[in-house]
Amino acid sequence: MNKDDIFDMEQANIGDIAVHQSETGKTKIEERIFTIRGRQVMIDRDLAQLYGVETKRLNEQVKRNIERFPEDFMFQLSQEECLTLSTKDLKSQIATSSWGGTRKKPYAFTENGIAMLSGVLNSETAIEVNIKIMRTFTQMRCSIAHNKDLLGRIETIEYQQLKAQKHLYEHDYKFEQVLNMIEQNVIQPKQGIFFDGQIYDAYAFVADLMRSAKGRIILIDNYIDDTVLTMLSKRTAGVEVVIYTGKISKQLRLDIDKHNAQYPPVEVRTFAKAHDRFLIIDDKVYLVGASIKDLGKKWFGFTLMENTDAEELMGRI
């Protein structure tokens, strides 16, 4: 009797026990299938248990027929893969197994490799067990395919929820910014009317406009006095100011000199071609219906001239 015959007899004697264990749930096939290197595989020790033989004898038969087991049928686990599996269901089998640190690392068999085993082992037990294993692989693939669409829908729903949450967050953030800018008078109305008696409101509106300037303030107004200079003193440091007015009286020149001696200088030039009042804040042009010095004394309107090019306007002065 040769070794192969002895091997087959061992399978015949204890193979039924392995099959019974699989059916009763003590060694469920689906729990012994792992994903390693992107493939679904079973470990040699689990297969040997199902076939009812020693792991060593199983691997001996494989080595005798190694030409039937290319790398996509069977491969040996690396040390890292063994450690990874030892933290999962294989902990009881690998971490405390007999192969240990000085023994050979286990082999993993793909579905094709397991199918080849039935021919190598050449026994009814091996064939019966392999049929069960192949059916398990098939059922798992069907389950994955069946749930793939459901998983895709769940991912789509989660994506839409995240997108909606992001949109809501951005909306809340922008709304909060608008409120903060309103509180800080960063956002200015584009047009409106001030009535007689609204002296402080009109003054505060123009003063806030001037404070909002980042680079320059240009005022075109035929009638100015020291109250205009006082308002301009509230501008941000570094903002240049040029005033174009109808004429510069001795008193206005004195007020300008006194102002410039204490505050950042204001340049005043004569310009008599303008009938209306214009206030340029950086690149924005406002049409103001009353002289700045008379704000609130009579009705006057203002408007932001959105389609007016400030540079073109300045180029005509």
Side-chain angles (χ1 to χ4, degrees):
M1 182 179 296
N2 57 35
K3 292 183 178 181
D4 291 344
D5 294 333
I6 295 174
F7 185 78
D8 294 340
M9 288 179 64
E10 290 176 348
Q11 289 183 297
N13 291 334
I14 61 178
D16 292 339
I17 298 176
V19 174
H20 177 70
Q21 288 178 331
S22 177
E23 290 175 346
T24 56
K26 294 182 180 179
T27 311
K28 293 182 179 179
I29 295 175
E30 60 268 22
E31 293 179 356
R32 301 294 93 189
I33 298 176
F34 301 92
T35 301
I36 304 175
R37 303 182 192 180
R39 307 172 186 173
Q40 288 187 314
V41 300
M42 293 186 69
I43 308 303
D44 54 7
R45 180 168 181 138
D46 290 329
L47 290 167
Q49 182 180 11
L50 290 170
Y51 294 140
V53 299
E54 294 181 357
T55 306
K56 179 180 179 181
R57 300 304 303 277
L58 173 67
N59 289 330
E60 285 177 353
Q61 287 296 103
V62 172
K63 290 179 181 179
R64 292 193 187 106
N65 299 272
I66 195 63
E67 69 280 357
R68 298 187 181 184
F69 295 91
E71 187 176 355
D72 58 327
F73 280 37
M74 177 195 73
F75 56 86
Q76 192 171 27
L77 298 184
S78 65
Q79 185 66 32
E80 183 179 355
E81 289 168 338
C82 290
L83 292 175
T84 300
L85 287 175
S86 69
T87 64
K88 299 179 181 180
D89 292 341
L90 286 181
K91 184 174 182 180
S92 61
Q93 299 183 32
I94 291 182
T96 59
S97 65
S98 60
W99 61 271
T102 60
R103 300 294 181 89
K104 292 183 178 180
K105 293 180 281 294
Y107 288 91
F109 291 82
T110 65
E111 185 176 354
N112 289 333
I114 296 171
M116 185 63 71
L117 281 175
S118 62
V120 171
L121 300 181
N122 193 24
S123 71
E124 292 182 2
T125 299
I127 294 173
E128 185 178 352
V129 171
N130 267 32
I131 290 174
K132 293 181 179 295
I133 293 175
M134 293 300 103
R135 285 174 176 168
T136 301
F137 271 99
T138 301
Q139 290 172 358
M140 291 181 67
R141 282 198 301 273
C142 291
S143 178
I144 292 173
H146 177 73
N147 293 323
K148 186 176 181 180
D149 182 60
L150 177 61
L151 293 174
R153 292 181 183 178
I154 293 175
E155 289 179 355
T156 301
I157 293 173
E158 291 177 346
Y159 172 77
Q160 293 297 335
Q161 288 178 336
L162 290 174
K163 187 176 180 180
Q165 289 175 356
K166 181 181 178 182
H167 178 73
L168 181 61
Y169 171 79
E170 291 176 349
H171 179 272
D172 291 344
Y173 176 74
K174 290 179 180 179
F175 184 72
E176 183 178 355
Q177 280 188 315
V178 171
L179 291 179
N180 291 336
M181 293 174 74
I182 291 175
E183 292 177 357
Q184 298 171 11
N185 294 318
V186 176
I187 296 180
Q188 300 293 344
K190 294 183 178 181
Q191 61 184 13
I193 297 176
F194 287 100
F195 299 97
D196 57 309
Q198 289 186 277
I199 298 176
Y200 179 77
D201 292 342
Y203 171 85
F205 166 71
V206 176
D208 287 341
L209 279 181
M210 293 181 176
R211 273 194 290 260
S212 69
K214 306 299 182 184
R216 68 176 180 178
I217 298 174
I218 299 173
L219 174 63
I220 302 174
D221 190 338
N222 285 331
Y223 306 99
I224 64 170
D225 59 12
D226 59 330
T227 61
V228 177
L229 299 176
T230 300
M231 191 177 298
L232 288 168
S233 67
K234 300 178 182 299
R235 72 187 187 275
T236 303
V239 174
E240 298 180 355
V241 176
V242 179
I243 299 176
Y244 292 89
T245 188
K247 64 178 181 177
I248 303 175
S249 65
K250 291 183 179 180
Q251 181 61 51
L252 178 58
R253 172 54 62 188
L254 178 62
D255 291 338
I256 293 171
D257 293 341
K258 295 288 186 182
H259 173 275
N260 291 349
Q262 181 176 351
Y263 297 101
V266 171
E267 184 178 354
V268 181
R269 304 173 184 174
T270 57
F271 180 72
K273 293 183 179 181
H275 177 273
D276 294 320
R277 272 67 57 182
F278 298 93
L279 179 61
I280 300 175
I281 305 296
D282 296 326
D283 295 324
K284 296 179 179 179
V285 180
Y286 288 86
L287 174 63
V288 183
S291 292
I292 301 299
K293 69 181 185 65
D294 296 326
L295 294 178
K297 294 180 180 180
K298 295 182 179 181
W299 291 21
F300 79 93
F302 68 91
T303 183
L304 173 61
M305 304 179 69
E306 295 181 296
N307 296 322
T308 300
D309 188 342
E311 296 304 325
E312 181 182 358
L313 180 63
M314 293 304 301
R316 292 180 175 272
I317 296 178

